[in-house]
Amino acid sequence: MSLHSPEFAADPHAAYDDMRRRHGPLVPVEIAVDVPATLVIGYREALNILSDPAHFPADPRAWQATVPEHCPVLPMMEWGPTESKAMGEDHSRHRAAYTASLDKVDLYALRHAVEAIAVPLINSFCETGSVDLLGEYAVPLTVRVLNDLLGFSPEAGQEAFAALVALRDASDAASTEHSEQRFTAAISDVVAAKRVAPGADVISWLIGHSARFDDAEIVAQTAMLYSTGTEPTWNLIVNALLLMVTNDQFHDELLGGALSIRDAIDEVLFTDPPLANFCSRFPRQPQIIGGSWLPVHQPVVISLAACNNDPAVGGDRTGNRSHLAWGAGPRSCPAQSIAMVIVQEALDQLLDALPDIELAVPADQLEWRPGAFHRAPTAVPVNFPPAPPLTFV
Ligand code: HEM
C-alpha cells in the first residue's frame, strides 16, 4: 500500500478500511517510492508504541542513513536540519523549556491577537464574494499569529516563512542546504535581537529559561516550534470549515445551535486530523507487537487518523476528546491549547462575518496534497454573499 499516491490522498479512509480488513493493526506500507514503513492503525497498539520511548525512540539516524539523499519524506522525518542536531539526545531538558514557555502564553490575549489578524484578512476579501480560504486566510493568519507569539517582527517572520516554503519545495541538496541556512539565519537574527531586548514572547522566555540554553539551542527550538506549529494549524482551520460547509447534518445542527464550532473542530480531530500519519518511531531492536514483527530501525508511523477511527475503540464520541490528533506519550503536542485558540478564533471570526460560505467546487473535486503525512487540501475555493468590512475594536 502506497501512502504517497494521489489515490491514497483522494480517499484515505477507504484505504484505511481496506488495510484493516487485510492486515489488522499493523500494515506494511511505502511512504515514498521504495521506502518501506509500518503504519499503525490500531489505537491500542499506537498508545503502547508512543508511551514506550525506550523500545520505540524517535531518533531516525540509523534509518536515515539507508534512504536516498533526496527522498521526499526526509524533511518531515530526518534528524536535523537544525533542531535535533543542536538539541542532541536531551529531549526532556528542551521539552521542559519549550513547554514552560508555551504555557506562559496568555490565551485570552492570544484570542484577541488572532482577532486583530483575522479582521483585516477577512476585510481584504469580504466584499468580493469569493476567495481561496486556505491561501488567503488560513495560511497568512496562522503564520502571522505564530510570528507574533514567537517574537518575530513582520519582516523577520516573512523571511523565515519564505525560507520554510523554499525548504519544503527544495528539489536538490544545494537548494535544501541554501533554504536551511536561510531559515536558520532568519531565526538567528531574531534570537540575537531578543538577547538584547527581550519581550513578552516565546523566544524571550526560552532565552530566560533557567536551563540557560546557548543561541544554537534557542534557534533549534524556535525552528521546531515554527515548522511544527504552522502547517497542521492552518490545515485544521480549513478541514473544520470543510466539515461545516459540506456536511448537511453538521451544517444544520450548527445553525440550529445543537452543535458549536468547537464540536466541528473536535470532530475533525477525530475523523481527519491535520497530521494524519505522523509520530514516526524507529525500533532499536526488532519488536513484536500485535503478532507482527517490526524490523529494526524501519519507521513505524502512527496513523492518527486511522487509530481514531479504530472500530475496536469506537463508540459515542460526543464530548469525548480521546483522539490521538495531538500524539500521546512524552512527545505529545505541547501547544494544544494554543492551537485550539488560534483555530477556534479564526473560524469564529470568519463565520461571524460570512455565515453563508459555500464551496465553489463540488466537495469530491477538491484536491488533496499527495504525501504520507498531512491531510491537506491544495486550495479551498469558496463563494459567499459579499459583506461589508468588519471593524476591529
Ligand atoms: C492543529 C495544530 C497542531 C496539531 C494537530 C499538532 C500535532 C502534534 C503531534 C501529533 C505531535 C506529536 C509528534 C510526535 O509524537 O512525534 C506534536 C508535537 C509537537 N508540536 Fe504540535 N500540533 C499542532 C500545533 C502546534 C503548534 C501551534 C505548535 C507550536 C507553537 C506545536 C508544537 C509542537 C512541538 C514543539 C512538538 C514536539 C514535542 C516534543 O517532541 O517534545 N504544535 N504536535
Side-chain angles (χ1 to χ4, degrees):
M1 173 68 71
S2 134
L3 298 194
H4 51 93
S5 65
E7 294 75 33
F8 174 77
D11 194 356
H13 288 288
Y16 300 139
D17 288 347
D18 185 46
M19 290 176 192
R20 219 180 286 288
R21 268 192 307 274
R22 295 199 305 170
H23 299 279
L26 300 181
V27 187
V29 292
E30 248 195 7
I31 49 178
V33 176
D34 293 333
V35 181
T38 301
L39 190 71
V40 182
I41 60 172
Y43 184 93
R44 293 199 181 91
E45 291 75 10
L47 274 188
N48 287 342
I49 291 168
L50 292 176
S51 48
D52 184 1
H55 291 102
F56 295 99
D59 181 345
R61 279 173 295 180
W63 164 76
Q64 202 175 309
T66 68
V67 294
E69 203 181 334
H70 305 310
C71 177
V73 292
L74 275 181
M76 287 289 284
M77 297 175 75
E78 70 187 329
W79 180 259
T82 49
E83 60 274 27
S84 316
K85 270 182 207 153
M87 286 161 54
E89 311 285 345
D90 203 359
H91 173 253
S92 52
R93 177 169 156 263
H94 288 275
R95 184 174 167 103
Y98 50 72
T99 304
S101 302
L102 291 168
D103 286 349
K104 282 194 183 175
V105 172
D106 174 344
L107 296 181
Y108 181 77
L110 176 64
R111 195 174 295 281
H112 203 63
V114 178
E115 185 186 351
I117 289 167
V119 167
L121 282 172
I122 294 170
N123 287 350
S124 71
F125 56 73
C126 64
E127 293 173 292
T128 64
S130 64
V131 72
D132 165 19
L133 279 178
L134 178 71
E136 292 180 52
Y137 186 62
V139 171
L141 178 140
T142 304
V143 171
R144 284 177 211 174
V145 172
L146 259 275
N147 284 343
D148 285 1
L149 188 100
L150 294 174
F152 286 70
S153 65
E155 300 72 36
Q158 217 169 6
E159 172 61 10
F161 184 61
L164 191 63
V165 171
L167 184 58
R168 286 193 185 149
D169 295 343
S171 53
D172 55 52
S175 49
T176 302
E177 201 182 322
H178 175 72
S179 312
E180 273 174 21
Q181 282 168 358
R182 200 176 148 197
F183 187 47
T184 310
I187 297 174
S188 303
D189 287 349
V190 182
V191 171
K194 293 288 167 189
R195 284 247 183 238
V196 179
D201 49 63
V202 171
I203 294 180
S204 300
W205 294 325
L206 287 170
I207 291 173
H209 190 265
S210 55
R212 299 276 163 251
F213 296 108
D214 63 25
D215 278 3
E217 290 174 310
I218 304 281
V219 170
Q221 293 179 358
T222 307
M224 179 166 77
L225 291 167
Y226 200 99
S227 54
T228 317
T230 40
E231 193 159 358
T233 306
W234 73 56
N235 284 330
L236 184 55
I237 295 173
V238 288
N239 289 351
L241 186 94
L242 283 174
L243 173 72
M244 290 187 269
V245 300
T246 58
N247 182 315
D248 290 343
Q249 192 190 342
F250 218 101
H251 186 75
D252 293 348
E253 293 192 22
L254 197 69
L255 285 185
L259 289 175
S260 63
I261 290 178
R262 172 68 201 235
D263 292 319
I265 300 169
D266 283 336
E267 178 66 13
V268 167
L269 287 170
F270 260 108
T271 52
D272 250 340
L275 287 166
N277 302 303
F278 200 54
C279 308
S280 304
R281 302 295 186 261
F282 303 84
R284 257 194 239 287
Q285 292 123 20
Q287 296 286 336
I288 191 156
I289 284 233
S292 305
W293 276 104
L294 297 174
V296 64
H297 303 320
Q298 194 184 88
V300 176
V301 178
I302 311 293
S303 179
L304 307 172
C307 290
N308 288 347
N309 298 290
D310 181 352
V313 291
D316 181 11
R317 292 210 291 254
T318 319
N320 171 0
R321 293 181 183 148
S322 61
H323 53 70
L324 291 182
W326 309 109
R331 285 179 179 263
S332 64
C333 182
Q336 298 174 33
S337 314
I338 289 175
M340 284 304 280
V341 167
I342 300 172
V343 172
Q344 172 132 18
E345 189 63 24
L347 289 169
D348 279 349
Q349 291 299 325
L350 182 71
L351 294 172
D352 259 8
L354 304 171
D356 296 315
I357 288 176
E358 286 180 353
L359 260 188
V361 294
D364 60 6
Q365 282 176 27
L366 273 178
E367 282 182 28
W368 297 86
R369 248 185 56 200
F373 306 108
H374 292 284
R375 181 64 173 151
T378 55
V380 181
V382 297
N383 296 325
F384 49 84
L390 301 164
T391 43
F392 175 66
V393 277

